[in-house]
Amino acid sequence: MEVIKLDLNCIKNTYKKRPCDSHKGTHGHALLIAGSSDKMGAAIIAAKACLRSGVGLLTVAFSPENKSVLFHSIPEAMYANSCVMNDLSSFNAIGIGPGIGVDEISLQYIYELYENKLPVIFDADALNLIAKYKVDWKNFNFPFVLTPHPKEFDRLFGEHDSESDRRITAIQKSKELNCVIVLKGHKTFITNGIQNFENTTGNSGLAKGGSGDALTGMITSFLAQGYTTLEAAKLGVYLHGLAADITLQRQSEESMLITDVIENIGLAFKHLHSEIQ
Ligand SMILES: NC(=O)C1=CN([C@@H]2O[C@H](COP(=O)(O)OP(=O)(O)OC[C@H]3O[C@@H](n4cnc5c(N)ncnc54)[C@H](O)[C@@H]3O)[C@@H](O)[C@H]2O)[C@@H](O)CC1
Ligand SMILES: Nc1ncnc2c1ncn2[C@@H]1O[C@H](COP(=O)(O)OP(=O)(O)O)[C@@H](O)[C@H]1O
Ligand SMILES: [Mg+2]
């Protein structure tokens, strides 16, 4: 199995510089379906990371009783209720899963994606819903990315004894389902069934609740900006890890919060810019 190192050189060829005469419409409108009454943090984290990664507009969909939490935490984001699924024409990409829970109300969101043509990233409870209700992959006729951690991966594709076995299954499944799989961990593995990448950034400061929710926001942002599923996954994973490595300048692995990492996404971009010029 050939595995390409996901390093600065690799990312330099993926990243597209932001045109100086762009406007918010140029950079896409992302829809994040995330959060629930006891997991609003997941939505806020994903939304902040999405906005910090360059998207033009962001709408977050969840239950209406938590609307004010979003406006207080991130005034830049817009809110939508579940009716948003009736007309997705104003969006460029969808991220679904962090903190949504695995009940039948959340499952409706997955069903409502069937007719959609936009690229979608499925994470966390969206993956758990697909596994729990045995959702048929044949209904996914749009480009998509799956971002499981090892436990979610096994819920989807069966128990595995080792990380190397999971990587073999990830390659097979991404080919079969025509999608990109991001198998998260210390050295996150990305595959589209043809090319495989292993990330070189990130540290154990990310081994905390919410880190994956931020990654979902970042990949959603890159998809909305027009990057392909493979490009968006590579950029998101690399910059998420790089922002965490930059965070070590002021925090330790123990003290680091995902909020600190999100604040350093800007420095991660700046590092990339300085290497490109
Ligand atoms: N502030 C919030 O609102 C938060 C909400 N979250 C949401 O909570 C829901 C449950 O997600 P969880 O992932 O916590 O629960 P899960 O039960 O899906 O998975 C957690 C377990 O997975 C295993 N695991 C994870 N990464 C692993 C690795 N690299 N190697 C080996 N084992 C590994 C560990 O046993 C870990 O305890 C999701 O919807 C998630 O988005 C979490 O992200 C935590 C923060
Ligand atoms: N030891 C580590 N080294 C590098 N990256 C890590 C490490 N532990 C976790 N991560 C990263 O943090 C994120 C954790 O995602 P996830 O388990 O979904 O978290 P959550 O659901 O709590 O938000 C992944 O991107 C993973 O690669
Ligand atoms: Mg997660």
Side-chain angles (χ1 to χ4, degrees):
M1 176 200 310
E2 197 201 338
V3 182
I4 302 163
K5 290 269 173 236
L6 185 59
D7 57 15
L8 190 59
N9 252 337
C10 184
I11 286 299
K12 274 200 241 177
N13 300 323
T14 306
Y15 172 73
K16 294 179 199 82
K17 212 167 162 245
R18 209 167 162 94
C20 60
D21 60 348
S22 67
H23 54 85
K24 62 187 170 190
T26 317
H27 303 296
H29 187 173
L31 174 64
L32 266 175
I33 302 161
S36 52
S37 55
D38 53 350
K39 297 226 171 100
M40 269 312 289
I44 303 297
I45 290 165
K48 276 191 181 161
C50 185
L51 284 161
R52 286 282 189 209
S53 301
V55 77
L57 289 166
L58 170 64
T59 295
V60 190
F62 48 75
S63 48
E65 68 268 21
N66 297 306
K67 213 168 143 171
S68 63
V69 181
L70 179 76
F71 294 144
H72 283 119
S73 313
I74 327 165
E76 295 86 353
M78 293 173 282
Y79 164 80
N81 63 24
S82 58
C83 295
V84 72
M85 302 306 283
N86 297 334
D87 180 11
L88 295 170
S89 61
S90 63
F91 300 105
N92 301 94
I94 300 170
I96 176 165
I100 62 173
V102 289
D103 59 21
E104 291 191 4
I105 298 169
S106 299
L107 182 64
Q108 282 307 314
Y109 279 107
I110 308 245
Y111 291 157
E112 282 163 349
L113 284 174
Y114 285 1
E115 301 300 316
N116 147 70
K117 292 289 169 222
L118 300 173
V120 180
I121 162 174
F122 294 93
D123 180 42
D125 288 332
L127 302 172
N128 296 331
L129 281 162
I130 293 169
K132 180 176 173 186
Y133 295 97
K134 300 192 168 42
V135 173
D136 192 344
W137 297 106
K138 288 200 180 71
N139 296 310
F140 293 5
N141 297 307
F142 44 83
F144 64 101
V145 182
L146 308 176
T147 57
H149 59 52
K151 199 161 173 177
E152 290 160 343
F153 188 91
D154 286 6
R155 284 183 192 127
L156 281 174
F157 301 126
E159 287 292 317
H160 290 75
D161 293 329
S162 68
E163 205 49 20
S164 57
D165 283 353
R166 278 190 195 94
R167 287 184 175 197
I168 292 166
T169 303
I171 295 168
Q172 281 169 357
K173 290 291 174 186
S174 59
K175 226 180 262 172
E176 193 182 309
L177 306 174
N178 192 23
C179 70
V180 168
I181 298 183
V182 175
L183 175 56
K184 295 184 295 195
H186 173 51
K187 290 191 171 163
T188 292
F189 179 74
I190 303 172
T191 181
N192 64 354
I194 301 160
Q195 279 186 308
N196 313 308
F197 300 87
E198 184 182 81
N199 192 30
T200 57
T201 58
N203 59 72
S204 69
L206 286 171
K208 287 175 191 155
S211 301
D213 305 332
L215 178 66
T216 297
M218 295 178 78
I219 296 177
T220 307
S221 185
F222 293 126
L223 288 174
Q225 289 170 70
Y227 287 99
T228 66
T229 46
L230 184 62
E231 289 169 344
K234 284 163 62 183
L235 267 176
V237 167
Y238 180 82
L239 288 170
H240 177 257
L242 182 58
D245 291 344
I246 292 169
T247 304
L248 285 179
Q249 291 166 11
R250 284 174 179 267
Q251 297 291 341
S252 68
E253 284 90 343
E254 292 86 350
S255 71
M256 182 186 296
L257 301 181
I258 193 61
T259 309
D260 304 323
V261 177
I262 292 168
E263 294 304 314
N264 283 329
I265 293 173
L267 289 176
F269 274 110
K270 277 180 171 288
H271 183 69
L272 190 54
H273 297 161
S274 69
E275 292 294 325
I276 287 170
Q277 279 152 14

